[in-house]
Amino acid sequence: MRTTKLIAAAVVLATICGCMKKEDESGYVGPQNVKVTDGVMTPEVMLSLGRLSDPQLSPDGTKVLYGVSYQSIADNRSCRNLFLSNLDGTGKVQLTRYAKSVNCARWMPDGKSVLFVQGGQIWKAPFLGGKLGKKVKISDVPAGVSEFAISPDGTKIMYISTIHSAVETPADTGLDKAQAYATEDLMYRHWDHWVTEIPRTYVAELSDDITPEKSTDILGADELFELPTEPFGGIEQLSWAPDSRHIAYSCRKLTGKRYAFSTDTEIYIYDIVSGSTVQIPMHGGYDTDPVWAPDGKHLAWISMPRDGYEADQQRLMVCDVDLSTPESPVVSGIRRLGEDFDHDCAGIVWNGNGEIYFNALMNEAVQSIFRTSLDGRVERLTPGDWWNDFGSPWAIKPTEEGIELYCTYMSLNFPTELVKVTLPSQGEPSFEAVSHENDAIFEQLDAPTCESRQIRTVDGKSMQTWVMYPPKFDKSKVYPAITIVLGGPQGSNSQDWSYRWCYRLMAQQGYIVVMPNRRGTTAFGQEWKEEISGDYIGLNMQDYLCAAKELKAEPFVGKMACCGASYGGYSAYYLMGIHGDVFDCFVAHAGIFDEAGLWFTTEEMWFPNFDNGGLQIASFADDLTMGKNIGKTGENAWGGIAQAGAPYSSAPKAVRHYTHSPKDGIQNWHTPILCIHGGMDFRIPYTQGMAAFNAAQMMGVPSKLVVFPEENHWILQPQNALYWHRTYFDWLDRWCK
């Protein structure tokens, strides 16, 4: 299958900082010198790509600082270092060559130095003559620092560290050689770790000696609240006000069972001088990502209306803030921008005091950039025929001809790069690549082709579906195909690049890749998205079969596989029992096999409680928030918490859901299946994958089980990732080629 010969070695770049010590370079992982002889991308080639992230505009607006991670398969590790270029991508230099990754790199407001996190502490390096000087450690925080943000005036810093949680370990009682976890409440695990520590955010004077003793906990409370919210929240959940005195932050001020069943994070404004806090009253679901206007008179954020529904509509909200009495900010005029905008907003960026840029997935299944004024008029800036996913701008530059936006973008054909989007006052917009991190590799590869198809569903609707064809595709030949069953379940097959489910990699192995945007995907409005909640086994499963059957009817399509992860793994297990002979093999990664078993072993209870039928789908005006139900008793409520999505619930959607779990169709299983799982996956514990494999074995179905004991819901270590891909393609080739 794979005939490409890969020669990869670290390339020593010509432009480096002369101030770096030799010991810093020991174990350095840098750009790879990849030679492809036959135009085919292999897993080894894909893993050699540089992974660009976190662009930061210099204070004078002329340069961009960003990081790139490279992987060493031999050493089974990755390393991230810093680069600098002009806005147009010219003058690229590598600033660091450390063996330990550098993260969260931020300019000081005067542009004379850069701060970053390395080894769990904050470091500072002078920036002179286009180079970084010798780094100096400026923090000594025993629990470590993960991220930070510098105040606008450059005098203060807020940073994220941790405190001890309510989970007890033997070490807490003096038994330092014993290992156990003890708890008396819920939320003792998060995705891939036991909650022995809780993230908290601190404020300190920005000096060369940042310690816990010289820092203030923003929450300042004995309650074990998280700031930022686990498991995926970071420093973007906090925002310095322009006055460098106030901080807006998002926090779910709940613990235990109430936390486990609720998504009610609220936005708070904290005064670092008095320690007082003002809440912006929303009382719904997630309120996240607060961003101040440059004048401090407005605050924007993303808001979901219903508690307990983590995939609710992401609305763009704004309010007026009066900071004239600093210890008691006055919040007023809370409103939604774009009342009729039926898509999920993300990536808030202010341009001046009256204009906001953001991004959203749209009906063409691409992520586009938008602009709105404070009166709520929304304007789309990147058109749907640009088949790329664009991030929100990290720089906005007015020109005589119009506006230039500097963003990140990606597609099914390449990972994240920097790009310039030109919006002329007259004429059509255009875009131009700024960075070219992986051009030298992609120029050696034969490119696949992609099309967007509309497929008719069983209820007469039209479903957008991406189809990627192998390089040098010839309609007169017959190719194996893969139907991708999406995770989420609320997500989208857009033009985003993935290193695990890399569709270009699949196409370059000779497969036609079919990516249906079935019911529950997020790019097509709230109604389409919500049709999956409480109906896992219904229309979205038929959507997959419609797409698979239509493509399989093409004369150039031969055998077809069905592959997916998480909810996609659930879909694979469920389709195993109902597909007939549509598919020739299955691959399920981190899939749900037994829904009742998952309810009792997963950790985020709000997710199954809603999606399994606990909250009925209703309009935003209806009072159906979890916050209103917590503490009440009645039908389908136990322990003071509404649990209508539970296996013991009498709610009709829950009854239907649990009586049609994938495990209930195993008598119909007859198609070969590969089951993959991570041993540290706490969202969907690995026993689900074992149970599915055992069932297949007992049904006499050809099957294989792969468990990665040190991986979580994702496969992250380079050698594990390579083994994953090799196993995946070996299985597909065995049954489809």
Side-chain angles (χ1 to χ4, degrees), residues 9-16 20-32 68-72 75 77-83 94-102 118 437:
V11 174
V12 179
L13 299 183
T15 307
I16 63 174
M20 299 304 161
K21 292 183 177 180
K22 286 293 182 182
E23 56 264 31
D24 288 335
E25 297 185 21
S26 176
Y28 164 74
V29 179
Q32 306 293 296
V68 182
S69 295
Y70 302 101
Q71 300 207 353
S72 168
D75 295 337
R77 58 186 292 268
S78 64
C79 190
R80 184 177 186 275
N81 274 282
L82 300 180
F83 292 78
Q94 184 169 354
L95 295 179
T96 65
R97 290 178 53 86
Y98 297 129
K100 292 183 179 179
S101 287
V102 179
Q118 187 182 49
E437 176 60 38

Side-chain angles (χ1 to χ4, degrees), residues 608-627:
N609 197 39
F610 185 96
D611 261 32
N612 298 0
L615 296 180
Q616 305 302 309
I617 303 301
S619 68
F620 296 152
D622 290 337
D623 184 14
L624 290 172
T625 65
M626 275 297 302

Side-chain angles (χ1 to χ4, degrees), residues 211-230:
T211 65
E213 295 74 22
K214 298 178 180 180
S215 306
T216 301
D217 186 333
I218 287 179
L219 293 183
D222 294 331
E223 291 88 348
L224 296 177
F225 303 145
E226 299 170 347
L227 183 60
T229 301
E230 287 248 72

Side-chain angles (χ1 to χ4, degrees), residues 455-463 519 528 538-547 549:
I455 292 177
R456 186 67 57 184
T457 64
V458 292
D459 57 343
K461 295 183 179 179
S462 184
M463 174 178 63
R519 247 57 71 101
W528 184 265
L539 287 172
N540 85 100
M541 291 297 171
Q542 296 304 314
D543 292 343
Y544 284 135
L545 292 174
C546 286
K549 289 176 181 178

Side-chain angles (χ1 to χ4, degrees), residues 113-342:
S113 55
V114 172
L115 273 61
F116 52 82
V117 172
Q118 187 182 49
Q121 299 297 333
I122 304 172
W123 299 74
K124 183 178 182 180
F127 180 72
L128 297 170
K131 297 180 180 180
L132 282 186
K134 183 179 179 179
K135 64 178 183 179
V136 176
K137 185 162 70 98
I138 65 171
S139 73
D140 185 10
V141 179
V145 174
S146 59
E147 291 182 278
F148 65 88
I150 304 167
S151 64
D153 65 6
T155 65
K156 302 174 185 65
I157 190 170
M158 59 177 167
Y159 63 89
I160 299 171
S161 189
T162 61
I163 61 173
H164 199 292
S165 75
V167 174
E168 181 183 291
T169 66
D172 300 327
T173 64
L175 301 175
D176 59 346
K177 293 181 174 56
Q179 189 172 15
Y181 303 104
T183 184
E184 298 184 16
D185 212 337
L186 290 185
M187 289 310 294
Y188 50 88
R189 301 204 303 185
H190 257 312
W191 284 88
D192 64 352
H193 63 279
W194 292 86
V195 183
T196 57
E197 297 178 327
I198 290 175
R200 293 291 271 260
T201 303
Y202 299 82
V203 176
E205 295 294 321
L206 182 47
S207 67
D208 292 339
D209 186 25
I210 301 169
T211 65
E213 295 74 22
K214 298 178 180 180
S215 306
T216 301
D217 186 333
I218 287 179
L219 293 183
D222 294 331
E223 291 88 348
L224 296 177
F225 303 145
E226 299 170 347
L227 183 60
T229 301
E230 287 248 72
F232 303 121
I235 199 68
E236 77 284 348
Q237 299 307 321
L238 301 102
S239 178
W240 280 105
D243 64 3
S244 296
R245 173 167 175 166
H246 293 88
I247 295 171
Y249 67 86
S250 168
C251 185
R252 175 166 40 195
K253 296 190 175 180
L254 298 170
T255 60
K257 288 181 287 295
R258 291 173 62 87
Y259 177 109
F261 278 87
S262 175
T263 60
D264 183 16
T265 61
E266 301 284 340
I267 303 296
Y268 301 86
I269 300 176
Y270 171 73
D271 175 20
I272 67 173
V273 176
S274 67
S276 62
T277 302
V278 171
Q279 178 182 340
I280 298 177
M282 296 299 291
H283 305 297
Y286 282 125
D287 288 280
T288 60
D289 302 350
V291 185
W292 289 93
D295 63 4
K297 295 181 179 180
H298 298 95
L299 184 69
W301 71 97
I302 301 299
S303 177
M304 295 186 183
R306 286 170 286 184
D307 191 1
Y309 183 19
E310 72 171 17
D312 208 348
Q313 189 169 39
Q314 296 177 194
R315 306 169 300 169
L316 176 57
M317 307 296 294
V318 70
C319 70
D320 306 325
V321 184
D322 182 356
L323 298 176
S324 58
T325 306
E327 66 275 9
S328 301
V330 177
V331 175
S332 61
I334 301 173
R335 56 201 182 274
R336 178 184 177 185
L337 301 182
E339 286 282 350
D340 299 326
F341 189 72
D342 191 28

Side-chain angles (χ1 to χ4, degrees), residues 22-50:
K22 286 293 182 182
E23 56 264 31
D24 288 335
E25 297 185 21
S26 176
Y28 164 74
V29 179
Q32 306 293 296
N33 182 18
V34 176
K35 302 297 183 184
V36 180
T37 60
D38 58 4
V40 177
M41 173 187 279
T42 64
E44 292 88 345
V45 171
M46 184 196 66
L47 291 172
S48 72
L49 298 174

